[in-house]
């Protein structure tokens, strides 16, 4: 039973207020009143305009670029909101991070490189975050970088539900690289589909080369699944490689559509039928291609917030049947 006097309060930063409003709507709540802005020199300011003393605060933020700010602005805003909440005597602070920026640097691939995923985990903890709710980290082991609880959700059941409704036949789920193979296998099991894996190398950052497709894709309807689409170079190269291997229709699905640089143009020009993205980050306004479809993670995140607040199990949300 929830203890007397507890109160659930939702706040959002500026990076993805539309998703935050949808989460609040699902929960039957209004977003709390917080003032956030940037000073003339770019420093971030945040102040809660209502009492948060004793409250269980859930701060919804995508650590990503948005129309008015950078990924660094999003991160600093979240940290400052957490610090302000703790200094205002909030009972608990949960960071609902719809996209965990800096997660791609989760290990040292070369000498003298940073591990930014660990750095951000440390910063969140120092800022006063008591728990993290997030979705589709670049690698699951990033959970271990935290010394506070992490609820790591996945959008795979949402994608499975979307494609199941299309009643596609002769399906094959394709992983864009070996690192994504485990997630692709889960999606393949949900849709009772075959599995193929691409061999990808990166000669430099944001550059990818597809050298081989491992598995039979000839004549099959392929769904290419990834966690992030940034510049879209590797995912569109994957579509071309599948077509060269004799694949039929090719669909793309990814949780986080960062869509940097010329990504929208590359997607519009590629031979994929559809690109299905979640609303974990806002789709850039200039991205007008009809190929992009959006599915919402608001119901999933709202249920996670509710379960955490009510001190119920969150593990049921990892069940593949949750969204079906």
């Amino acid at each position: 039973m929830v203890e007397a006097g507890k109160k659930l309060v939702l706040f959002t930063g500026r990076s993805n207020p539309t998703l935050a409003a949808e989460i609040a709507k699902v929960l039957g709540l209004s977003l709390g009143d917080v003032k956030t802005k940037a000073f003339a020199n770019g420093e971030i300011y945040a102040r809660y305009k209502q009492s948060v003393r004793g409250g269980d605060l859930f701060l919804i933020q995508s650590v990503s670029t948005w129309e008015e700010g950078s990924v660094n602005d999003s991160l600093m805003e979240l940290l400052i909101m957490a610090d302000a909440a703790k200094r205002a005597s909030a009972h608990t602070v949960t960071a609902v991070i719809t996209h965990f920026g800096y997660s791609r640097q989760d290990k040292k691939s070369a000498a003298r490189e940073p591990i930014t995923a660990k750095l951000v985990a440390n910063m969140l903890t120092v800022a006063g975050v008591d728990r993290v709710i997030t979705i589709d980290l670049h690698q699951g082991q990033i959970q271990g970088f935290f010394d506070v609880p992490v609820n790591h959700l996945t959008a795979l059941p949402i994608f499975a539900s979307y494609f199941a409704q299309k009643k596609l036949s002769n399906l094959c789920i394709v992983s864009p690289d070996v690192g994504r193979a485990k997630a692709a296998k889960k999606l393949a099991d949900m849709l009772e589909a075959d599995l193929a894996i691409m061999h990808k190398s990166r000669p430099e950052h944001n550059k990818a080369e597809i050298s081989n497709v491992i598995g039979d894709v000839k004549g099959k309807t392929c769904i290419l699944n990834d966690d992030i689409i940034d510049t879209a170079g590797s995912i569109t190269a994957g579509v071309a490689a599948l077509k060269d291997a004799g694949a039929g229709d090719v669909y793309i699905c990814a949780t986080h559509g960062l869509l940097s640089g010329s990504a929208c143009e590359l997607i519009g020009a590629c031979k994929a039928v559809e690109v299905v993205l979640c609303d974990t980050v806002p789709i850039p306004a200039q991205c007008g291609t009809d190929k992009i479809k959006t599915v919402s993670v608001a119901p999933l995140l709202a249920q996670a917030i509710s379960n955490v607040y009510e001190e119920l199990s969150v593990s049921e949300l990892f069940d593949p049947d949750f969204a079906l």
Side-chain angles (χ1 to χ4, degrees):
M1 178 171 294
V2 177
E3 61 190 77
K6 281 189 72 177
K7 56 180 179 179
L8 165 60
V9 193
L10 299 179
F11 291 96
T12 182
R14 293 174 294 163
S15 66
N16 200 350
T18 301
L19 175 58
E22 284 299 313
I23 293 170
K25 182 178 178 181
V26 173
L27 290 169
L29 299 172
S30 298
L31 289 170
D33 193 2
V34 59
K35 180 180 180 180
T36 55
K37 68 174 186 177
F39 290 112
N41 70 343
E43 293 180 12
I44 305 296
Y45 172 85
R47 176 177 178 266
Y48 294 95
K49 301 182 73 175
Q50 65 187 75
S51 175
V52 298
R53 183 179 299 275
D56 291 299
L57 272 60
F58 291 80
L59 310 181
I60 303 168
Q61 182 81 317
S62 172
V63 180
S64 62
T65 300
W66 83 99
E67 190 172 346
E68 298 177 8
S70 69
V71 61
N72 298 325
D73 293 327
S74 300
L75 176 58
M76 283 304 303
E77 187 172 81
L78 176 59
L79 295 170
I80 291 167
M81 288 174 66
D83 181 79
K86 279 297 185 181
R87 295 179 188 278
S89 300
H91 179 234
T92 62
V93 176
T94 299
V96 183
I97 305 176
T98 61
H99 170 62
F100 193 93
Y102 286 102
S103 64
R104 283 177 284 183
Q105 298 176 73
D106 59 354
K107 61 183 181 298
K108 290 183 67 172
S109 300
R112 298 174 294 282
E113 283 189 341
I115 302 179
T116 57
K118 172 60 176 171
L119 174 62
V120 171
N122 289 344
M123 293 166 71
L124 288 165
T125 303
V126 170
V129 170
D130 299 295
R131 176 186 294 271
V132 171
I133 297 174
T134 190
I135 182 166
D136 283 334
L137 291 166
H138 189 57
Q139 293 292 340
Q141 66 263 23
I142 292 172
Q143 297 171 80
F145 293 171
F146 287 88
D147 293 322
V148 297
V150 178
N151 296 119
H152 182 210
L153 309 176
T154 178
L156 290 177
I158 299 173
F159 290 134
S161 177
Y162 178 88
F163 286 110
Q165 292 172 13
K166 285 184 170 292
K167 301 187 184 302
L168 302 172
S169 59
N170 199 18
L171 271 180
C172 181
I173 308 302
V174 182
S175 172
D177 52 42
V178 175
R180 189 67 184 171
K182 186 176 180 180
K185 177 63 167 61
K186 289 180 180 178
L187 183 58
D189 290 344
M190 292 178 200
L191 291 170
E192 299 181 347
D194 295 333
L195 178 68
I197 302 170
M198 292 183 164
H199 183 269
K200 179 174 71 178
S201 61
R202 287 196 178 276
E204 57 183 283
H205 293 307
N206 292 125
K207 298 284 185 181
E209 296 176 353
I210 308 296
S211 59
N212 197 17
V213 178
I214 304 167
D216 181 18
V217 298
K218 189 171 184 178
K220 295 182 179 179
T221 300
C222 293
I223 301 174
L224 185 54
N225 171 254
D226 211 343
D227 61 322
I228 297 171
I229 298 179
D230 190 355
T231 62
S234 61
I235 207 79
T236 52
V239 173
L242 288 172
K243 284 293 188 180
D244 289 344
D249 288 341
V250 178
Y251 294 78
I252 297 170
C253 63
T255 308
H256 312 293
L258 305 184
L259 306 184
S260 306
S262 59
C264 296
E265 289 80 0
L266 287 174
I267 288 172
C270 81
K271 294 182 180 179
V273 177
E274 270 185 2
V275 179
V276 186
L277 303 173
C278 294
D279 55 354
T280 56
V281 298
I283 303 300
Q286 70 273 18
C287 201
T289 175
D290 293 335
K291 286 185 180 179
I292 295 178
K293 311 296 180 184
T294 306
V295 293
S296 183
V297 296
L300 175 63
L301 290 172
Q303 189 64 58
I305 290 170
S306 177
N307 284 22
V308 167
Y309 175 71
E310 298 287 350
E311 299 177 3
L312 302 174
S313 172
V314 182
S315 61
E316 68 181 60
L317 305 185
F318 309 148
D319 191 321
D321 292 332
F322 172 73
L324 298 178

